[in-house]
Amino acid sequence: MVSVVLKSSPPVPAKRSFREQMHIAREDAIVSAVNRLLAEKGFEAMTVDEVAAEVGIAKASLYKHFPSKEDLAAAAMVRVMDRARAFLDTLDAQRPPLELLREVARWTMAVQLAGEMPSLPSENSSLRAALTTNKAYVDGLMDVSDRLGAWITAAQADGSLNSALPPIAVLYTLYARACDPVLGFLKGAGLYSNEQIIDMVLSTCFDGLRTR
């Protein structure tokens, strides 16, 4: 007698109610507004009133989603970190490590020039303190740092990157491209396209300023 094993179908995710969908959509709009304001003026200058006004909701309603200014900004920082991880996932890990590092720097600068990169908080900022206890942000930062660190050491091992430089110095140099004021200066001059600006800054970062 032949027994037949029936495979159970995967559980169908519960359909969100209209109220839940609206809640999620509002939070998404709030985080997007915070992201733009952080990119434009930074955490210290951004106010909760500005966020509420841009989203078109009352300040009290905003606090139902995020209880503090730090929570608002942390949510935007987590979103950018998630975007960075998603971008890294699209890269072909078989490519030369130096090429991968250049692609990461290119992506970072493109996001900044598009006005979608939150400014990093200052050393004594309450946001920096909040981020150190935000598990989603810390986990994302560690993941990105580990992946970039592996490419940095691989590039140093194959001779394409200066092995005399401490890997952490290279890593922080790459992170600095996320808040490089040179990009804004060159864009403000109105003489170059975003792509030209990125190419120039990439050249100074990876190739140096000396003539060969």
Side-chain angles (χ1 to χ4, degrees):
M1 183 174 184
V2 178
S3 61
V4 178
V5 178
L6 298 178
K7 294 183 178 179
S8 58
S9 301
V12 178
K15 186 176 180 180
R16 291 192 177 98
S17 68
F18 178 74
R19 184 187 182 93
E20 290 174 322
Q21 293 179 46
M22 290 300 294
H23 182 85
I24 293 171
R26 178 174 284 183
E27 283 198 350
D28 184 69
I30 291 170
V31 174
S32 295
V34 172
N35 194 82
R36 288 192 297 272
L37 288 168
L38 286 175
E40 178 185 334
K41 52 178 45 181
F43 175 73
E44 305 302 334
M46 182 190 79
T47 67
V48 176
D49 290 300
E50 287 175 315
V51 177
E54 182 156 335
V55 180
I57 62 176
K59 189 175 178 179
S61 298
L62 186 67
Y63 281 127
K64 291 179 181 178
H65 295 270
F66 300 97
S68 70
K69 178 181 174 181
E70 287 77 14
D71 289 319
L72 279 168
M77 299 296 287
V78 169
R79 173 181 287 187
V80 170
M81 194 61 66
D82 287 343
R83 285 184 64 186
R85 297 169 77 182
F87 173 74
L88 293 181
D89 288 342
T90 68
L91 298 177
D92 180 3
Q94 302 304 312
R95 293 173 59 188
L98 189 63
E99 287 186 11
L100 295 171
L101 294 172
R102 289 183 74 107
E103 285 303 311
V104 173
R106 178 179 292 279
W107 176 84
T108 300
M109 290 188 283
V111 173
Q112 185 186 346
L113 285 169
E116 299 170 355
M117 181 65 74
S119 300
L120 296 178
S122 59
E123 285 291 339
N124 60 352
S125 169
S126 57
L127 173 57
R128 183 178 289 272
L131 288 174
T132 61
T133 59
N134 187 302
K135 187 176 185 304
Y137 178 80
V138 172
D139 287 351
L141 180 62
M142 293 301 296
D143 179 34
V144 171
S145 296
D146 286 345
R147 291 202 244 181
L148 295 183
W151 293 338
I152 290 168
T153 54
Q156 290 181 320
D158 70 18
S160 59
L161 192 62
N162 186 352
S163 60
L165 294 171
I168 193 169
V170 180
L171 178 65
Y172 288 166
T173 297
L174 292 175
Y175 279 147
R177 303 288 69 75
C179 52
D180 193 339
V182 172
L183 300 171
F185 294 151
L186 290 172
K187 186 170 184 176
L191 301 174
Y192 310 102
S193 67
N194 284 1
E195 193 64 28
Q196 288 174 319
I197 292 171
I198 291 172
D199 285 340
M200 284 187 286
V201 178
L202 273 178
S203 180
T204 61
C205 179
F206 284 89
D207 306 325
L209 300 176
R210 292 188 306 173
T211 57
R212 294 292 185 260

